[in-house]
Amino acid sequence: MLVLVAPGQGAQTPGFLTPWLDLPGVEDRLREWSAAIDLDLVHYGTKAGEEEIRDTAVAQPLLVASALISARQLFATADDFAAQVGAAAGHSVGELAAAALTGTVSDAAAMTLVRRRGQAMAEAAAVTETGMAALLGGDEAVVIPHLEQLGLTPANVNGAGQIVAAGTAEQIAALVENKPEGTRRVVPLKVAGAFHTHHMAPAVSALESATSQLSVADPHTRYVSNKDGQLVSSGQELVQRLVGQVANPVRWDLCMETFKELGVTALIEAAPGGTLTGLAKRALPGVRTLALKTPDDLDAARTLIAEAGSVVSAAGSAPAE
């Protein structure tokens, strides 16, 4: 059973979209989305520097656009996707790409929504100097109480020995100086705010307004939610979860537990892939993984799909025994 996942913020690197523009129709599609959301995706994905694409309002649309562009090379139609992908999920902003790929919202709507999401989260982040840091290693039962003592939120519980803390700059600095027992390293992340915490509450209100008139369908493929790793079969509930998720922790560990329960045998990560496949290699032993980094990876992905993809049960139904 094949799972397709889409990465979250921090996966972007300067020029990462450049090779994708060589594929037929890709540049035209990116320019179409750019005009619709008033953001030059081609420029930011090919020529912009690290600081420019670190901007939340830029990074988030870039990541969703990249995930959609790369995944659409593998699955030309919704029927193809539904027939060959057993479940889909995205990490943080990647959930919007997964929502589009499973037919809950259109690609155009996902791009419009991610543009507003990025702007709203950037605005919320500007109120207080905040940030995030990844903790590598350590026991969750030790790490999480330690973070709470410092006033930090375990914003991403990613599994495979990785938790991402979020809070004020002072709290992150205190964590670097005083890491939890058993933690190998604390790595400050190149993001511009304390995402998935109470600091993002203003962005929730902005997204509630942005989604109030959104055209929504139930997903045609099983969708695994960051909130609790549960399958979501209602399009309306899925969108409500997307809105609330910006101010609540990402439970990628629970998503991977659900992949296990569904019987995952292969996982493909949409571009710019790498982060989620790395977690899967540690948390899902025996599962074949492939990260889409450039179009050179597409042939290997097609081979993996042919070997692991199959007709699956309806979205939201229980996995076969």
Side-chain angles (χ1 to χ4, degrees):
M1 195 273 286
L2 174 68
V3 168
L4 187 133
V5 298
Q9 200 162 338
Q12 74 277 8
T13 55
F16 76 99
L17 276 181
T18 300
W20 295 96
L21 268 64
D22 292 334
L23 299 180
V26 168
E27 184 169 352
D28 289 343
R29 179 58 55 86
L30 288 172
R31 293 198 182 281
E32 177 185 328
W33 289 339
S34 295
I37 66 174
D38 192 27
L39 183 73
D40 191 342
L41 296 166
V42 173
H43 166 75
Y44 284 110
T46 60
K47 297 179 180 178
E50 185 174 356
E51 283 302 312
E52 289 179 274
I53 63 172
R54 181 182 179 184
D55 181 347
T56 302
V58 171
Q60 293 193 10
L62 273 180
L63 287 164
V64 171
S66 176
L68 292 177
I69 287 292
S70 58
R72 296 298 185 200
Q73 303 301 314
L74 300 174
F75 309 100
T77 68
D79 287 345
D80 290 339
F81 194 98
Q84 296 176 300
V85 177
H91 190 286
S92 188
V93 71
E95 285 204 292
L96 282 171
L101 291 168
T102 57
T104 302
V105 298
S106 68
D107 288 4
M111 291 306 303
T112 299
L113 187 56
V114 74
R115 176 62 163 151
R116 186 66 194 104
R117 185 186 193 271
Q119 290 171 327
M121 292 177 75
E123 290 162 5
V127 173
T128 305
E129 187 180 359
T130 57
M132 304 177 81
L135 293 90
L136 307 179
D139 185 337
E140 185 176 317
V142 174
V143 171
I144 290 179
H146 185 92
L147 297 180
E148 292 171 345
Q149 287 176 1
L150 295 175
L152 290 157
T153 299
N156 300 165
V157 183
N158 286 331
Q162 185 188 105
I163 293 175
V164 176
T168 66
E170 292 80 5
Q171 290 166 340
I172 294 291
L175 174 63
V176 172
E177 291 297 319
N178 179 22
K179 66 185 180 182
E181 182 180 353
T183 298
R184 297 193 308 276
R185 282 199 301 155
V186 176
V187 183
L189 301 181
K190 296 178 180 179
V191 296
F195 305 138
H196 303 291
T197 72
H198 65 89
H199 294 284
M200 293 294 111
V204 173
S205 298
L207 286 177
E208 287 175 341
S209 176
T211 58
S212 61
Q213 303 298 319
L214 189 65
S215 178
V216 176
D218 293 339
H220 55 59
T221 300
R222 290 178 290 201
Y223 183 100
V224 184
S225 170
N226 280 184
K227 180 178 181 179
D228 49 17
Q230 295 300 301
L231 297 175
V232 180
S233 58
S234 161
Q236 290 293 343
E237 181 186 350
L238 195 159
V239 170
Q240 289 171 0
R241 283 171 171 246
L242 290 177
V243 170
Q245 198 62 47
V246 300
N248 287 283
V250 170
R251 293 303 305 267
W252 192 251
D253 59 331
L254 299 181
C255 290
M256 290 195 292
E257 285 298 320
T258 298
F259 298 162
K260 276 187 201 175
E261 292 168 8
L262 292 172
V264 59
T265 58
L267 179 146
I268 292 176
E269 183 180 2
T275 302
L276 301 182
T277 49
L279 292 171
K281 286 176 182 177
R282 296 192 292 276
L284 301 171
V287 173
R288 298 170 65 188
T289 62
L290 189 146
L292 291 175
K293 299 178 184 294
T294 75
D296 291 342
D297 299 312
L298 289 171
D299 284 344
R302 293 185 182 107
T303 298
L304 184 57
I305 291 166
E307 294 172 353
S310 62
V311 176
V312 295
S313 54
S317 62
E321 293 295 336

